[in-house]
Each structure stands twice: as structure tokens, then as C-alpha cells.
Amino acid sequence: MKHFTYSAIALALATSMSAHSATMKWAGTTDPQTMDPHAVISAPVLGFLNNVYEGLVRRGKDMSIEPALAQSWTPIGNGQGWRFNLRKGVTFHNGSVFNADDVIFSYQRASAETADTKGWFAPISEVKKVDAYTVDFMTKAPNPLFPDSIANWMIMDEEWSKEVGAISANKEAGNAATLQTNGTGAYQVTKRQPGLETTLAQYENWWGEEIGNITEATFTPIQNPATAVAALLAGNVDMINPVPIQDAARLDQNPQVTVIKGIEARVIMLGFAQQADVLKYGADKGKPNPFLNPKVREAVAKAISVPAILRTIMRGNAQEASQLVSPAMRGYSIKHDARPSFDMQGAKALLAEAGYPNGFSFGLKCPNDRYLNDEAVCQAVTSMLARVGIKAELDAMPVRTYWPELRQDNFDMYLVGWSPGTFDHEHPIRFLASTPNTEKKLGSWNFGDYSNARIDELLPMIQSEIDETKRQAMVDEVTEIYQNEVAYVPLYIQPLVWGTRSNIELTQRPDNFFILRWASAK
Amino acid sequence: MNYIFKRVAQSGLVLLVVGLVAFSMFRFMGDPIDNMLGQERTQEDVERLRDELGLDLPFPVQYWHFLSDAVQGNFGVSYRQGRAVSEIIAERIPATLELAAVSAVLAISLGIFLGVFTAIRREGWLANLIMSTSLIGVSLPTFLIGVMLIYFFSVYLGWLPSFGRGEAVQLGFWSTGFLTVSGWQALILPALTLGLYQMTLIMRLVRSEMLEVLRQDYVRFARARGLSERAVNFRHALKNTLVPVITVIGLQLGSIIAFAIITESIFQWPGLGLLFINAIQFVDIPVMAAYLMLISVIFVTINLAVDLLYVVIDPRLREGGK
């Protein structure tokens, strides 16, 4: 820690002389719960640590994969694995040199039982050090996506981790790496007060070149949205994420503040109980489950006017969704980009055909603090469904009780959002559209137990197909199946709304990560 | 002696019951597991963690584990931060106590002063203005007052910071905001928000007590003796109003610390209240349990102190005890 403080002082002295250097403060709703890059997969943690630690590869401004600690990578043989050629001359913040041993160590640490990140390495059979700057990752089956899937796998220094006693990640009791960092990234943590404030300072020996003029930055979690907006307006912080949607238009009119809007990777959708024999809620509780019939599910899709939801609740800040992923993701099916259009008569006709001319009553479960305006969206869905005669009994709850309810199958219909960690269509197919199978670790978020044998058959083929065209054809087929069967009703892609002081320039990445080296202050 | 012993034993019992109620409620707070594991967690991870944290045990057993650890000074490890709860609470408690102390001083001094003033100048326009404005303090919720103060003093005028505690100085284990300009600036709005209700309460109490006392014969006689207004009002009248006022102040001290939850979350004040709010959001059971126990210890101690003070003041209670 002492080392950090001295270098921070030196850095502050050095940079205070240059004319363009600047400091900034930013605020977000959630504090990263740990500084350990392998302990927890959560957007606040990975987003923050992307400024401090680096992976072999990283994502650029458009989410494409680019070299980071690996200068290049090539497939080995006929899909046996991947060879990564490491960058030379990279040092960690404490001065120690980065090499293949750190990669092997970080692999062992990140794939250990206690690490949240271990799922990323499920396709790996063996990791071999070829020389000090070459590492081979052998895969169990051909894995064209492996480099894409490890953009958030961050490399730690072997010597340092052993020295401070952080050999394995420990999220229950914590260890030295929970509070301190030693990465290779453009910024280093100089002060960490969990839940209160974290300060970053530019690392002067960073290997990269492209970096803005922010020499020191402080992150403060602010949970109350009104407080965050006031802090931005008063100039007490330079950037807030998110801006409450209802305040975006008002803030935009203020000349001292800029509102930056984008589309997040998260798709918000409705899911159904697809294996339950009977309804569990509402006046028709105990009667046969109508959602087993695809026609009823299609009727739901047609009865909901997504444009109306976007206009009123999202104030024009979101985009309609047709699939389980947004068009910006790899593997998005261009062939199937149409979503069922709003058609009340069509919905009623489908319900009559399915044997429910007078509709029915059921239970809709919804979180009220997980997604932007989630409860309001569910209320709108409820009233739209009522117009075609199906009465939803809405039960909205905080997310801390929501997931346990879903896991216990306490729903007839539910709302869920999905942001693919790998930015690939395969991700939601694996988690949402595969038949749940604990052993194979498939379908773990498919609460409604949607199941289609052909999708289950195609998934492993998609995962190991190297030819882009063949792979896309299979993804297209899966998309067609889940669209035809109305496995889910995708509603919209959640918007990203950030607010900055107008002198700040930055790049908003679709994964909602704030990359400090792309920020500058005028 | 018997009386004191009985009160202390009762207080201990109250603490135990508070803990039991708290632990029976935690089951309905939700599941901490989902917040601790990421998107790619497997069913095995969920079960392993649940087993490790002892969440599958019945709540009386969980409570018993908590109590037996707490007696040894071990309050567990926060699910959220992976650090010892005692360490986190020690880090946060100075901010809350400093805020509570300043609000209490503000409420008491301004409350008594304005109470006396409005009682003496009963018919004056200023006193009437103060009385009607004080209605705002009693009737508006803390949340609204805080937000209004932020918008006026931070956003519109730009005089005071809108959130946080400013720069804190570390004195041993205690971090204080009293030694820096930014610390004092940051303290003004939250202290005002937190103290406003107590201030109006004390002011109205002092005023009505004063009006009562000013009608008494000994005040009239004091005036007749030719004593100065000042001596009559403060030495003779105010002194005799203070007994009920002190009782109320004592009882309100505890609620200043407890009410701090709302004020702290509006101003992002880094104290215990904010810690508790975040702990609820993430179902951080060890932090919630420790906070609730701490607050009940504070309340119980204050009540005990007030009870014991009665004994000192009123000898009849002591006689009754025997």
C-alpha cells in the first residue's frame, strides 16, 4: 500500500505541472463490492476493475475484441485450442514484470472452485506455458468464441498475490485482494473505502498510448437518484450513471449538463410457466395452464403494444426487441428481426382458437427495483392484456425476493432481463432457451422450463462451429424455433442514460462500463 | 438497589427479544445468495454458499450462533463487503454520531431560544411568523425537507455541497469532519434536516411551558419586586420549565440516531443509517443484525439512564422500591 501512496504523490506532482491534466468525480448506484477480479461476476465490479486490471484481450469502443496483454492469438491445429502471444514490457502497478507465469496463475485462480468466473473456463482442458511470453489454451472441443469470452478475465500478479495472501478468491470472508489491487491497467487504486469512496490515479508506466487527461478520479456510490441528479447539477460530481429516465429531458435542457443516451445490451422480456399443469394465481387458480398452448403465448405477444410502452414509460429512450439479444450482439439473426406487431383483433382471435374466447385470469410476477421502470412496464402490460380479456394479477417485489420466487416456480408469467456476458447470441440460448440441466449447467435462468429438443441439439454444435456462415445458419434456426413457439416475448432493449458536466468527454460502451482512459475534461 | 437491578435485567431482556424478532424477520427479507453470486452461478454454487453461511438452518439456531459469537465480540463478516462487521461499524459510527450531536445541539439551543422568544413576544409579528413556519418543521417529511434544502442551497445557490461528508481527518480510530472547512460545509444541510423536527418540538414545548409558568404568582411577584425582565424570564421562568423539556430531549436523542437513516440516504452521509439501508438492499444479514442490536442498545441505555435519573430526582420512587 505504501508503494501506491508514494507513486500517487509522485504522479500528482508530475501531472500538476502539465497544463491539460484534470481530475474528475463520478457516481453510480452500486459500489463494486470487491476489488478482487475473480470473486464476483457483476457489472459494477467488472466495469470498475476494467480500469485497473487487464485481460489478454479487451473490448473496444464498439465492443469488438482487441489485443491487450496478448498481442495476438491464433487457433492451434484444427480447433484444439488457442495460442496467445503475450505483450512484452508490461509491468504491474508495483513494478513487477508481466509474463506467462502470471497468466497461468490467473487461470488457476479464476477457474478455482471459489471463483465466480470458473464458468468461463469450462471449455478448457489444459493451459500450457510454451515460453515466457507464449501460452496455449487447449479446449475440450473446437471453441471459436473462447477469445471473445475472456475479455473480462483479468490478469493478476503471481508474486504479489502470494505475498499479500490472496492466492484464491474469497467472497465470503475476503482477503487482501478484496481491498487492494495490483493490475497492469491505465489506473491504479490509491484509496479504497468500501461503500463510500474509491480513488484512482493514472499509472504512469502503462504500456498503452491512447489515454485522456484525467489523472485522478474518484468514484462515489449514490443510491438515491434525486441526490445523484442534484450532485450533477450542483457540479459536485462530473458524471452520473444512470440518469433517471424521467429527468433526462429536463437535464438535457441545462447548458451545463450533457445527457448521453445509448442502447444497453440488455433485452427485457416476458417468460411463461411452460411445464406447469395448472395456473397458480388469479381467479382461475388450479385450472389447466393456458400458456402451454403456443397460440395463447402468441396472443400475449400481439396484445402488447411495445411502441406505446416505449413512448410513455421509457420516454422514447429504448428500442423494440425481436430476439433474446440486441442487434449489436454477435450472432443476431438479421433474417428474424421482426417482432409480432400490435394486433388486438388478432390476439382475440388466437385466444378464441385456443379455447379461451372469454379470456382467463393468472398471476404475473415482476421485480420493482431491478430494471429501469420495471414495475411500470408490468402495469402497462397488465392493462394491455386486460383489453383482450386476460386478467393478470400483478405481484411486483424487490429483486432480493424476486429470484427466490422464480426459482421456486411461483409464477404463471414473469418479467426478466438478459444481458449476454459474452456479447453473443449463444449466451442467452444457453441460459434461457436450453432445457434446464443442472449437470450440464444449461438453462440455469430458464425459470419457465421452456424446452425444445432441436435447440438442445443445436447448442453444442453452435458452440464448436468454427465456420461463421454455418454457425450463423444454426443460430438462425434456433431463433426461428423460439420465435415460432413464442418461448419468450421480447419487449425492448433497455436504454443507457448517463449524465455529465458539459466539459467532460467520454465514450459510453453498450455493456454500461465506464472506461476512464477514454474520458477527458476540457 | 433492587430497583436498579430490576431495570438492568429488564433492559437485557428487551435486547434479547429485539434480536429474536429481527432474526425471525430476516427470512422474509429475501435471499442474499443471488446478490453474492453472478449471472453464471450454478445450482451447486448456490447450495455450497447457503450451506457455508448457515442459511439453511432454522432461525432460532441462526440467532443462537449470532448471540454466542456476539458475546465474544465477533459480529460476523458482511456478505456484501467480505469484511468484519465490527470493523465496518467502527468506520461508520463517527459520521453518524457527529451528525446526531450537531443536530441535537442545534435543536436544543435554537429550540429553547425560539421557544422563550415566542412565549415572551406572544403578540409580535415575528413570533407569529416563527410559530407558523415551525408548522412546516412538524408536518413536512424529512425526505422532502432534505431535497428542498439541497435544491435551494446546492443546486440553485451553489453554496453548500449536495452530498457526502467533505474531507474527514483521522484521529486514531475516529474520523472527524469537524476539523476541515469542507467537513463543516457538508454538515450544515444534513444537520438542519435531521434536527428540524426535534427543534420545532422543543420550541413548542418550551413555549407552552413558559406561557404556563409566566402566569404563575411568583413570576408576578418577581416583576413586582422590580427585577429586570431578563432575570424574570430566564432565571425564574425558564428554569422551572426545563424539567419536562429535559425528559423529552433525553428520549428524542435516541430517535435522532434512528431517524438518521432517512437523512443519511438523502445526503449520502457515510454513517450507520446509510450502511443499514444498503444492507437491507443486499440482504446483508450480519450487518443488519449488528445495526439493530446497536440501535436497541442505544435506546435501552438512554431509557435506563432516564429511569435512573428519575430515581435521583424523585425520592418517592426509591421509597416505593422498598
Side-chain angles (χ1 to χ4, degrees), chain B residues 302-318:
Chain B
I302 290 173
N303 275 310
L304 188 66
V306 170
D307 281 352
L308 297 182
L309 269 181
Y310 284 156
V311 182
V312 176
I313 294 167
D314 193 341
R316 280 171 299 177
L317 275 172
R318 253 175 301 180

Side-chain angles (χ1 to χ4, degrees), chain A residues 118 172-173 221 227 236 407 445, chain B residues 34 39 52 82 162 266 268:
Chain A
K118 62 176 180 286
E172 291 94 64
T227 308
N236 298 137
R407 224 181 288 121
W445 290 75
Chain B
D34 280 293
Q39 198 182 31
E52 235 163 77
S162 59
I266 301 167
Q268 194 68 26

Side-chain angles (χ1 to χ4, degrees), chain B residues 133-150 189-190 192-198 200 259 261-263 266-267:
Chain B
T133 340
S134 77
L135 273 178
I136 297 177
V138 189
S139 52
L140 275 190
T142 320
F143 181 80
L144 204 62
I145 292 173
V147 169
M148 274 164 34
L149 287 177
I150 291 177
L189 295 184
L192 217 59
T193 309
L194 184 58
L196 195 62
Y197 176 80
Q198 325 292 338
T200 42
F259 274 139
I261 291 182
I262 300 166
T263 309
I266 301 167
F267 289 95

Side-chain angles (χ1 to χ4, degrees), chain A residues 30-33 39-41 113-114 116 118-120 171-175 178-179 194-196 220-224 226-227 229-231 233-234 236-237 250 400-401 403-404 407 418-421 427 430-431 438 441 444-445 447, chain B residues 28-31 33-46 48-50 52-53 77-83 87 91-92 143 147 150-151 154-155 160-163 265-268 270-271 274 278 280-283:
Chain A
T30 317
D31 192 53
Q33 64 201 82
V40 182
I41 304 184
E113 185 56 35
T114 56
D116 232 18
K118 62 176 180 286
W120 296 343
K171 69 174 139 282
E172 291 94 64
N175 58 33
T178 312
L179 290 171
L196 302 179
T220 314
I222 298 183
Q223 284 83 19
N224 190 328
T227 308
V229 169
L233 286 173
N236 298 137
V237 294
R250 187 170 58 90
R400 58 177 186 267
T401 43
W403 299 132
R407 224 181 288 121
W418 195 257
S419 176
H427 197 265
R430 172 157 42 112
F431 285 97
T438 323
K441 298 175 181 169
S444 57
W445 290 75
F447 297 110
Chain B
F28 304 106
M29 298 283 310
D31 194 341
I33 302 284
D34 280 293
N35 281 311
M36 300 178 70
L37 295 170
Q39 198 182 31
E40 320 220 346
R41 89 273 183 288
T42 60
Q43 197 53 38
E44 292 146 42
D45 295 332
V46 173
R48 179 181 58 84
L49 198 57
R50 196 184 300 277
E52 235 163 77
L53 300 177
V77 173
S78 157
Y79 293 171
R80 173 84 183 143
Q81 297 190 9
R83 297 160 67 210
E87 191 184 317
E91 208 175 83
R92 299 293 192 99
F143 181 80
V147 169
I150 291 177
Y151 268 80
S154 308
V155 176
L160 296 169
S162 59
F163 77 93
S265 65
I266 301 167
F267 289 95
Q268 194 68 26
L274 190 65
N278 290 344
I280 292 177
Q281 196 182 349
F282 293 105
V283 205

Side-chain angles (χ1 to χ4, degrees), chain A residues 272-281 283-300 350-363 389-391 411-413 485-486:
Chain A
F272 306 94
Q274 310 225 12
Q275 301 288 334
D277 297 327
V278 292
L279 288 174
K280 291 181 177 133
Y281 296 91
D284 292 330
K285 181 180 172 181
K287 292 194 184 156
N289 179 5
F291 295 120
L292 297 179
N293 188 337
K295 280 182 184 156
V296 175
R297 305 200 293 262
E298 196 184 340
V300 169
L350 279 165
L351 283 174
E353 241 176 89
Y356 299 95
N358 300 318
F360 56 89
S361 160
F362 70 101
I390 37 186
K391 285 178 211 64
F411 58 84
D412 296 317
M413 190 163 119
E485 297 196 335
V486 201

